[in-house]
Amino acid sequence: MAQRNYKATGINLKGMPMGEADRLVTVLTKEYGLVRAIAPGARKHKSKLAGRSGLFVVNEALFVKGKSLDKLVQAETVRSFPGLSKDLAKLTASQYLAEIVLSLALSEQPQEELYYLLIEHLARIEAATTANVLPCLAQATFHLLALAGVAPEVHRCCLSRSPLDIDLSNPNWRVAFSVCSGGAVTLEEIERLESEHLQEIEQRIATARNEFSANEETVEYATWPDYDSAQPSATVPIATQRNRSVRPALQKQVTKDITNRLGIVTHLTAAELALMQQLSKPELILSKVSSTSDPHFEPMSGTMKEGILLSSPKPTNSTLQAAGPHRMWRHIEQALRQYAQYQLDRPIRSAALIDTCFTPSTHAARA
């Protein structure tokens, strides 16, 4: 970018008014990464830059380098995504991806892979049915994180590194999803950490009690109801009273401490983890969700029907009743969202509108 004028092919990711008629646009270009430029007069009705400076428009553009901000002086549109603006869910999902890309992209460096990846997923969202927007959004988020080198680990436990053996026949099978550890963590590993932490605390308590007892020559007693005896009350040491109430509270606090330490944001079912494992693949095999039938599994091994991975053995009836595809994809997207926000160290503002677009009542009304 040493020359004063330069050409680049890029997609508009952000725009905001500037001055009386100008627009400040942020463009992801293949050649130079993120470019922030002023589009002079772009807010005038008859301006040639009016449509070309719109959101998610791909242009072959000519920029003039400035002291603080560059200037967009010419643009020739090569592609646009008109279908995104016709559906609120699709537009919101696209803005969601734009926020992630804005956090990942660099300036004054080629960003060709990121550029083409975003274009591909915007095209998928535009072509998707409303019911399949969430699966497309989840996979796009996963692919963007993978390109940045921070995709969540969903095939092995992040702590033990042992493979995750999914049991689709067990409706109670669960795995924790940890943003701090980097992905999936088995419940066995969490129990092990909780046990170690509990033993450590109990050892410190025992040490403190021994030191206290060494300075005391008498044992203090108090009246405590004894429900195992016929008498209305019995004399029990205060230490016994404390042990009866402290242990459950201590266990609860230990669980909370480990959850906070690992950054566990949710737990995934077997079907949800199986779906998340598919997100790393180039394509999701999705069929149009029927608006007249309830989502359900089909006995087709190794395929996806209505956004749900199908695998042998066939899921049980309790599994079928527990979660439909829409609910599962909402849960997966929310888990990936929290993971992305942790990795990017910033909130995804469009996520609030995603929640509004895909609440159960809204989804039922759209179906």
Side-chain angles (χ1 to χ4, degrees):
M1 293 181 65
Q3 67 273 27
R4 180 168 176 79
N5 298 345
Y6 61 97
K7 293 181 179 181
T9 302
I11 179 170
N12 302 329
L13 298 184
K14 187 177 179 180
M16 59 182 297
M18 190 171 188
E20 295 183 359
D22 301 342
R23 179 178 286 130
L24 177 62
V25 293
T26 304
V27 186
L28 175 67
T29 66
K30 294 189 298 181
E31 298 86 354
Y32 306 109
L34 282 182
V35 174
R36 297 177 73 245
I38 300 172
R43 288 159 55 210
K44 293 181 179 179
H45 181 66
K46 295 184 179 181
S47 172
K48 293 182 179 180
L49 294 177
R52 293 174 173 86
S53 60
L55 196 61
F56 303 123
V57 176
V58 182
N59 296 305
E60 290 182 352
L62 175 64
F63 297 94
V64 176
K65 192 168 181 62
K67 291 183 179 179
S68 57
L69 291 172
D70 296 348
K71 183 182 292 186
L72 175 62
V73 292
Q74 291 182 17
E76 186 67 30
T77 299
V78 296
R79 185 170 184 177
S80 62
F81 299 90
L84 298 179
S85 60
K86 297 177 182 179
D87 188 298
L88 179 60
K90 294 181 180 181
L91 180 60
T92 304
S94 302
Q95 291 174 327
Y96 184 117
L97 295 184
E99 288 190 54
I100 296 177
V101 170
L102 287 169
S103 300
L104 296 177
L106 303 174
S107 300
E108 300 188 3
Q109 292 189 34
Q111 301 284 271
E112 189 170 356
E113 287 185 271
L114 183 59
Y115 168 84
Y116 282 118
L117 184 62
L118 176 62
I119 295 292
E120 172 63 26
H121 282 291
L122 289 179
R124 293 185 187 186
I125 291 174
E126 183 183 37
T129 63
T130 301
N132 285 337
V133 169
L134 271 180
C136 291
L137 174 61
Q139 188 182 38
T141 301
F142 195 99
H143 283 184
L144 289 172
L145 292 172
L147 183 61
V150 292
E153 173 60 77
V154 292
H155 292 86
R156 293 178 176 272
C157 173
C158 292
L159 299 182
S160 67
R161 304 306 301 166
S162 59
L164 297 172
D165 297 324
I166 299 176
D167 185 3
L168 284 170
S169 64
N170 181 6
N172 297 318
W173 192 93
R174 295 290 187 276
V175 67
F177 191 74
S178 166
V179 298
C180 298
S181 301
V185 177
T186 62
L187 300 187
E188 291 77 12
E189 280 299 306
I190 294 175
E191 291 175 359
R192 180 184 64 80
L193 291 176
E194 289 180 355
S195 177
E196 292 177 355
H197 189 43
L198 181 61
Q199 291 178 5
E200 180 183 345
I201 293 177
E202 288 180 333
Q203 185 175 2
R204 291 204 302 264
I205 292 176
T207 301
R209 283 179 177 174
N210 291 335
E211 293 177 353
F212 177 79
S213 299
N215 298 327
E216 295 291 330
E217 296 181 359
T218 59
V219 178
E220 187 177 4
Y221 288 85
T223 301
W224 182 264
D226 185 0
Y227 299 105
D228 295 330
S229 64
Q231 299 180 359
S233 63
T235 302
V236 180
I238 288 180
T240 303
Q241 301 175 27
R242 290 173 178 170
N243 286 337
R244 287 175 177 175
S245 59
V246 167
R247 178 77 186 203
L250 186 60
Q251 181 65 57
K252 186 176 181 180
Q253 184 61 44
V254 165
T255 300
K256 184 178 179 181
D257 290 344
I258 296 301
T259 298
N260 292 336
R261 181 193 302 177
L262 297 180
I264 297 174
V265 295
T266 190
H267 288 77
L268 302 173
T269 65
E272 288 169 344
L273 182 63
L275 280 175
M276 193 174 285
Q277 289 180 346
Q278 300 304 305
L279 296 180
S280 61
K281 296 184 177 180
E283 299 284 345
L284 279 179
I285 304 174
L286 296 170
S287 62
K288 185 176 180 181
V289 178
S290 171
S291 61
T292 59
S293 63
D294 292 331
H296 60 283
F297 285 88
E298 298 287 343
M300 298 183 298
S301 177
T303 63
M304 294 183 71
K305 175 69 173 176
E306 298 178 354
I308 296 185
L309 177 71
L310 306 174
S311 177
S312 297
K314 185 179 177 180
T316 61
N317 290 332
S318 56
T319 305
L320 303 184
Q321 297 173 357
H326 175 68
R327 180 179 177 182
M328 293 168 66
W329 280 117
R330 283 192 69 220
H331 193 204
I332 291 170
E333 181 278 319
Q334 289 169 352
L336 285 174
R337 177 198 312 176
Q338 294 185 70
Y339 181 86
Q341 291 178 147
Y342 176 82
Q343 296 295 332
L344 301 176
D345 196 24
R346 66 180 64 188
I348 300 174
R349 301 184 185 278
S350 301
L353 194 52
I354 283 288
D355 290 334
T356 302
C357 291
F358 291 101
T359 56
S361 59
T362 304
H363 183 71
R366 287 175 176 267

